[in-house]
Amino acid sequence: MPPTLTPGRTLRLLPAFVAGVALLFALAPRSAFGQDRGAIALDQLVRGLPVTGRVLMVGAHPDDEDTALLAWLAKGHQVHAAYLSLTRGDGGQNEIGNELGEALGAIRTEELLAARRIDGAQQFFSRAYDFGFSKNADETFRHWDREALTGDVVRVIRAFRPHVVVGVWSGTRADGHGHHEASGILARDGFDAAADTVRFPVRTHGRPWTPLKLYRGAWARNRPATLRVDVGVLDPVLGRSVAEVAAESRSQHRSQGFGVLGTRAAAETRLTREVSRVNEEVPATDETSPFDGIDTSFARLAELDVAARAPLRRASALIDSVQHALDLRRPDRVVPQLARLVVALQEAQDSTARCTFIPHRLSLFDGRMSPECTVAQTELDTSLGRALQRAQRALLEAAGVAIEATAGAELLAFGDSMPARIAVYNRGRHEVTVQALRLTGTSRRPIDPVTLPPDSALVVERSVIGLVDHRPWWLGGRDSAMFADNRSPADGAALISYGVDAALVPSVSLAEEVRRLTDLRATLTIAGVTTTVFGGELLHRVADPVLGEQNRPVGGVPPITLSLDRGLEFVRADQPIDRRVRLTIRSHTGRARELTLKYLLPRGVRVEDGPATVSLAAGEVREIFVRLRGTLPAGRHEFGIGATSESTTYTEGMWLIEYPHIRPQRLYRSSAMYLQAVPVTVPKSLVVAYVTGVSDAVAPALRQLDIPTTVLEPSELPLLDLSRYTTVVIGPRAYGASAELRAFNPRLMDWVRGGGTLVVQYGQYEMAAPGTMPFPIELTRPAARVTIEEAPVRVTDPAARVLAWPNPITATDWSGWVQERALYMPTAIDPRYGTPLAMNDPEEPENSGALLTATLGQGRYVYTTLSLFRQVPAGVPGSVRLLVNLLAAGTPRP
């Protein structure tokens, strides 16, 4: 007879140990991280039990999605909704930090997942890389392989199996961005091709599926709306409308400055129907729901397969019973019905064909997988799987059962072990018997069944070993340090796919939230019914003094990591180098290590004061400063440090990205960096004050070129004696981001009139506000850009000092630029400005707004819309040579 517990007691089982490695690829319910609980969750789950409709939204970027529509579907009507973002937003800008490129992609990925945890939808991605602003789809498809990305959209459609597809964008020039236009085209391509198994075979793209309707968003363009959706209705259990939920979801895109206010007033979102394969005779304007003409009732499932008919009819009756009997104050009263519902759904699932699989990964599933499935069987299998997940979660909520797995550390070194604590809490009114517990990386040794009476808990201790590391799966193990210039690492097919190996292509079929480092499964008996449920992932719980409880996913890490501060630094070509480089060595293992350091040095550089060996205690962090001396010719050179211990050489460092609104992300890059040697002349008299802007990592380069530089926040300007500086630099978009800078601007202008040099990097429409610049400019909407990084640059004033001294700017200086030339360029410019440069994208008028110079009193004012904030961190030599000239615009020439 199994042991039982008296109320209030906790039973502990002794630890067991096993070695194992697991990576979750199986389809699973969404992580409970940040989800609703209690009455709100139970209400949503029970209302959703009979709902089988599915909608897939397709857009280009994180933040493109119509969160009001997603929330209306998922929270308001319990529809299974998902958003497919073609990119991860790598080419955008960052209003909360200076991360760009793949690091920004990691942030925006997590922001999307945070948004989905609020609005209740799922999240998918394709392999498209965000290479920056594009003016039309033709330009975009020169970078993206249209056929390959159509295949990705088809994979997601076949995996998610939507009845309705919603393209956020129209697929026309009206979308205002080439990525937007391309996403609209790809949404239609995928909708049309999802059932084409000749073009996209089952083996590589999944079983065919035919979505029945295609809509376009009509809220962002002048498109006639055929369907208006009311998102302002109050949900009395949620305590707010889905419009308010959507506002909270939208506000997770903090890196893009998308915080919005929720509204308690009436609100709507709008759609226009483009294609319907059902009720075509009904005018689109007569529709009242995206599902008009589509039978998504639960009752219809019983007619799809005779073998499953009896349990499905029982399930339908039980759903009605649960919905009528549910009392959110006494949820325990529906536990028996929910338990029988789980049994009925399990029986139905066992009676019908299993049609869900991931291409190339059939081995992950059991022998019940059917080699062929009809459309009806595929629909039934999909609907049953989702209904069973909801029923299981509803059963846990109603029974008051909570399951968690926690560990004392966030990181576990490969090969090491640490204790983990698995707890099952019964806070309800029914007995719960724990039959089995399985956690990634722990022993599969069975436990004796334990019955938990109300108000009791079971705690099982296990040893965990061999966890997968934290690196984002979509980086494919690529060495991020060697892409320090933030360029898109295009593969040979020009599919710009983050270096993801072809073997991982099918994984775009998985929703992002089911990819977990660990997985806890519990087999429980509740009200006489035994079922296996998802219990979450292994978490490290900490109490932050300011933020309170923090739950951080536990994962693996190399025993030793080595990190340099940057992936690229500038040096002056053919000039003596004397620089200290900081190396941070971290031990993540539980025992001491002896390390032998190895140095990768470019010809002409030697290491001084660099140790040959290092002794590290368990868990120790050591900073070592290595002195580099020598000279380097112009060009890009590699410098790196490795550490050997116990026959293993470690050459990776870990880079933590952490913001309060998203889960922490760890990127890996090699313990190496580029030394970019630039032939640049720097006036000795230059002394710079640098006011940091948005997405701004330019200031460190000035120090690397031996320019004395003080980095300031805008709030520090009033406290500073500007007479100490020859030049003040205002970072990109700083005027838009800082009211303090705008308030101090008149004093800055007075300082320029007294003889200072002010260099202002690009801003947006705030730059046209009176008083921001000394003389007026105007910008069109949308603003002019030069997005082709190779676009020709014409010098209209060869005698302009900023192009001649101290560094003669030649055609070579315009080569190797990344992503774009210039952005938010003025089109109407006061004649008192000098405009020495002109440029344009193909088939567009020439624009002279890339560089503006003016004399103001005794000083010089410089405004540039050139994308120096991208070029300088990317190590583009010409951008640094030109920047030094701008800094020296008012410096006396010898």
Side-chain angles (χ1 to χ4, degrees):
M1 182 174 178
T4 58
L5 302 182
T6 56
R9 285 192 55 201
T10 299
L11 176 67
R12 293 182 178 272
L13 300 186
L14 296 177
F17 176 86
V18 71
V21 177
L23 174 60
L24 179 68
F25 274 101
L27 295 175
R30 183 195 333 237
S31 167
F33 189 98
Q35 284 187 332
D36 292 330
R37 293 181 293 184
I40 291 177
L42 184 58
D43 177 65
Q44 290 278 316
L45 290 165
V46 169
R47 285 165 57 193
L49 287 172
V51 179
T52 65
R54 299 180 294 278
V55 176
L56 176 67
M57 183 179 293
V58 181
H61 307 112
D63 72 37
D64 282 358
E65 75 272 27
D66 182 351
T67 51
L69 181 60
L70 289 175
W72 180 82
L73 290 165
K75 290 287 190 184
H77 295 273
Q78 292 69 54
V79 170
H80 302 281
Y83 175 52
L84 167 58
S85 177
L86 296 181
T87 75
R88 296 174 187 268
D90 325 68
Q93 298 174 36
N94 184 359
E95 295 200 7
I96 59 174
N98 59 14
E99 297 91 350
L100 293 174
E102 66 183 26
L104 179 57
I107 291 171
R108 298 186 71 182
T109 294
E110 280 299 314
E111 288 179 336
L112 269 180
L113 293 177
R116 297 296 81 81
R117 288 191 288 270
I118 292 166
D119 60 38
Q122 290 186 276
Q123 183 63 51
F124 291 89
F125 291 94
S126 84
R127 293 169 293 155
Y129 188 89
D130 181 354
F131 57 86
F133 187 84
S134 171
K135 293 182 176 177
N136 55 64
D138 294 337
E139 177 189 333
T140 296
F141 285 130
R142 286 196 288 270
H143 294 271
W144 293 356
D145 184 323
R146 179 172 174 176
E147 182 70 2
L149 287 181
T150 299
D152 280 2
V153 177
V154 166
R155 285 187 179 96
V156 173
I157 289 175
R158 292 182 181 181
F160 186 69
R161 298 169 180 168
H163 302 104
V164 176
V165 174
V166 177
V168 174
W169 303 103
S170 68
T172 68
R173 292 291 192 270
D175 294 333
H177 191 313
H179 296 178
H180 296 167
E181 183 183 351
S183 79
I185 293 170
L186 289 166
R188 179 61 187 265
D189 287 351
F191 178 86
D192 291 339
D196 187 343
T197 57
V198 175
R199 184 178 173 190
F200 298 109
V202 172
R203 185 181 64 83
T204 55
H205 291 75
R207 301 190 195 278
W209 182 254
T210 302
L212 300 177
K213 286 186 176 183
L214 174 66
Y215 288 86
R216 302 285 188 183
W219 49 271
R221 292 164 300 283
N222 295 323
R223 291 175 62 85
T226 62
L227 178 63
R228 296 175 183 271
V229 175
D230 184 357
V231 297
V233 177
L234 174 68
D235 184 314
V237 178
L238 286 175
R240 51 183 178 166
S241 69
V242 292
E244 293 172 275
V245 174
E248 183 184 353
S249 171
R250 185 74 168 164
S251 297
Q252 301 310 301
H253 296 293
R254 297 184 190 179
S255 68
Q256 305 307 296
F258 275 10
V260 296
L261 291 173
T263 178
R264 293 179 174 85
E268 68 175 17
T269 189
R270 300 184 292 276
L271 297 171
T272 184
R273 193 181 81 188
E274 183 168 308
V275 180
S276 179
R277 293 175 170 136
V278 295
N279 72 329
E280 298 172 79
E281 70 284 354
V282 177
T285 51
D286 289 352
E287 290 188 332
T288 59
S289 163
F291 293 102
D292 280 4
I294 304 173
D295 185 0
T296 59
S297 66
F298 189 88
R300 88 191 194 286
L301 298 180
E303 306 307 317
L304 298 181
D305 193 329
V306 173
R309 185 169 296 169
L312 280 170
R313 287 177 173 171
R314 291 203 314 273
S316 184
L318 285 164
I319 289 172
D320 289 342
S321 173
V322 169
Q323 290 187 326
H324 283 94
L326 178 63
D327 178 352
L328 294 177
R329 289 278 181 186
R330 288 294 308 273
D332 57 288
R333 291 173 177 168
V334 296
V335 166
Q337 294 102 307
L338 283 170
R340 293 199 299 274
L341 174 60
V342 168
V343 170
L345 291 171
Q346 287 175 337
E347 287 180 5
Q349 196 173 57
D350 292 340
S351 302
T352 190
R354 303 301 300 274
C355 303
T356 301
F357 77 95
I358 304 170
H360 290 315
R361 299 191 181 274
L362 288 173
S363 61
L364 287 173
F365 298 91
D366 60 35
R368 295 176 297 168
M369 192 64 58
S370 301
E372 299 292 339
C373 282
T374 65
V375 173
Q377 288 172 327
T378 302
E379 170 63 33
L380 180 57
D381 181 53
T382 305
S383 297
L384 277 176
R386 295 177 181 275
L388 178 58
Q389 289 176 12
R390 280 182 169 169
Q392 289 173 324
R393 288 181 55 204
L395 178 59
L396 292 186
E397 291 290 348
V401 175
I403 310 168
E404 66 179 19
T406 56
E410 186 179 356
L411 300 174
L412 176 62
F414 303 149
D416 282 5
S417 65
M418 69 176 174
R421 178 183 183 272
I422 305 171
V424 181
Y425 299 93
N426 181 5
R427 300 186 291 178
R429 298 177 181 233
H430 291 263
E431 286 189 345
V432 176
T433 300
V434 182
Q435 307 284 359
L437 296 170
R438 297 193 303 276
L439 174 65
T440 305
T442 64
S443 170
R444 286 186 175 269
R445 188 188 70 181
I447 64 171
D448 293 329
V450 177
T451 298
L452 303 179
D455 191 28
S456 62
L458 168 70
V459 175
V460 178
E461 294 182 355
R462 291 284 188 262
S463 263
V464 179
I465 188 171
L467 298 182
V468 176
D469 69 29
H470 280 76
R471 76 187 70 213
W473 74 271
W474 44 272
L475 292 179
R478 180 167 61 81
D479 180 355
S480 58
M482 292 307 164
F483 287 89
D485 58 0
N486 294 317
R487 302 184 198 207
S488 54
D491 63 15
L495 173 63
I496 308 186
S497 61
Y498 305 95
V500 175
D501 186 86
L504 289 179
V505 169
S507 60
V508 302
S509 304
L510 288 179
E512 197 74 13
E513 61 270 12
V514 307
R515 305 172 192 276
R516 293 183 294 275
L517 301 172
T518 56
D519 187 61
L520 171 62
R521 299 283 166 161
T523 302
L524 307 175
T525 300
I526 304 173
V529 170
T530 299
T531 189
T532 298
V533 297
F534 170 62
E537 54 191 322
L538 183 62
L539 298 174
H540 174 53
R541 298 177 64 188
V542 293
D544 185 279
V546 176
L547 301 176
E549 180 178 331
Q550 301 292 295
N551 293 289
R552 302 164 73 96
V554 175
V557 65
I560 303 295
T561 57
L562 302 90
S563 303
L564 297 172
D565 289 348
R566 297 179 183 86
L568 181 145
E569 290 196 9
F570 287 97
V571 297
R572 296 167 66 183
D574 302 314
Q575 298 293 317
I577 299 169
D578 188 351
R579 180 167 301 176
R580 291 188 179 275
V581 175
R582 179 168 61 182
L583 173 70
T584 302
I585 307 176
R586 289 181 171 85
S587 168
H588 304 280
T589 185
R591 52 196 175 83
R593 289 289 191 108
E594 293 293 324
L595 307 178
T596 300
L597 299 186
K598 298 181 178 180
Y599 298 93
L600 170 68
L601 296 169
R603 186 183 299 273
V605 171
R606 64 187 183 276
V607 168
E608 295 184 2
D609 303 331
T613 60
V614 175
S615 298
L616 278 185
E620 183 181 2
V621 179
R622 179 83 62 85
E623 289 187 350
I624 295 172
F625 289 87
V626 176
R627 188 177 186 182
L628 303 182
R629 303 195 70 175
T631 59
L632 287 172
R636 181 165 289 190
H637 311 270
E638 291 186 30
F639 164 73
I641 306 176
T644 299
S645 175
E646 300 179 2
S647 302
T648 300
T649 298
Y650 300 97
T651 59
E652 279 192 318
M654 193 170 56
W655 174 18
L656 176 64
I657 298 175
E658 188 166 20
Y659 291 98
H661 66 301
I662 59 175
R663 296 178 303 182
Q665 294 292 291
R666 287 177 171 81
L667 303 187
Y668 286 77
R669 59 187 181 194
S670 71
S671 51
M673 69 177 180
Y674 290 120
L675 296 173
Q676 183 70 52
V678 181
V680 58
T681 300
V682 178
K684 294 182 179 180
S685 59
L686 274 184
V687 183
V688 173
Y690 194 106
V691 179
T692 305
V694 174
S695 305
D696 193 356
V698 172
L702 304 185
R703 290 171 172 166
Q704 293 159 17
L705 296 175
D706 303 321
I707 299 173
T709 302
T710 302
V711 178
L712 305 169
E713 293 296 323
S715 58
E716 298 177 86
L717 275 173
L719 309 176
L720 203 65
D721 178 9
L722 294 181
S723 66
R724 299 162 45 197
Y725 302 96
T726 62
T727 307
V728 173
V729 180
I730 307 297
R733 296 176 58 188
Y735 281 100
S738 172
E740 292 165 312
L741 176 59
R742 296 193 296 272
F744 188 74
N745 198 50
R747 292 180 60 188
L748 271 178
M749 294 300 175
D750 289 341
W751 174 77
V752 175
R753 293 184 183 95
T757 298
L758 181 63
V759 177
V760 179
Q761 297 178 64
Y762 96 99
Q764 296 179 324
Y765 296 101
E766 70 276 3
M767 301 308 297
T772 304
M773 295 176 62
F775 310 117
I777 62 169
E778 293 180 8
L779 287 82
T780 58
R781 289 183 182 268
R785 297 171 180 253
V786 177
T787 62
I788 305 298
E789 57 266 41
E790 304 91 358
V793 177
R794 188 169 71 87
V795 176
T796 59
D797 182 6
R801 172 172 157 157
V802 290
L803 302 180
W805 186 86
N807 301 288
I809 302 302
T810 67
T812 304
D813 292 303
W814 301 108
S815 64
W817 283 50
V818 300
Q819 189 160 319
E820 61 200 349
R821 288 280 195 213
L823 63 170
Y824 288 90
M825 303 170 74
T827 49
I829 302 169
D830 189 286
R832 285 171 286 186
Y833 288 110
T835 54
L837 299 177
M839 59 188 70
N840 58 278
D841 278 337
E843 302 179 6
E844 293 191 357
E846 191 172 68
N847 187 298
S848 57
L851 181 57
L852 281 59
T853 63
T855 298
L856 196 60
Q858 301 178 50
R860 294 289 287 169
Y861 179 90
V862 178
Y863 179 66
T864 180
T865 61
L866 293 167
S867 60
L868 298 179
F869 76 103
R870 294 196 191 278
Q871 313 309 321
V872 173
V876 177
S879 68
V880 173
R881 286 166 45 82
L882 176 61
L883 178 58
V884 171
N885 285 14
L886 303 185
L887 300 179
T891 301
R893 188 170 180 174

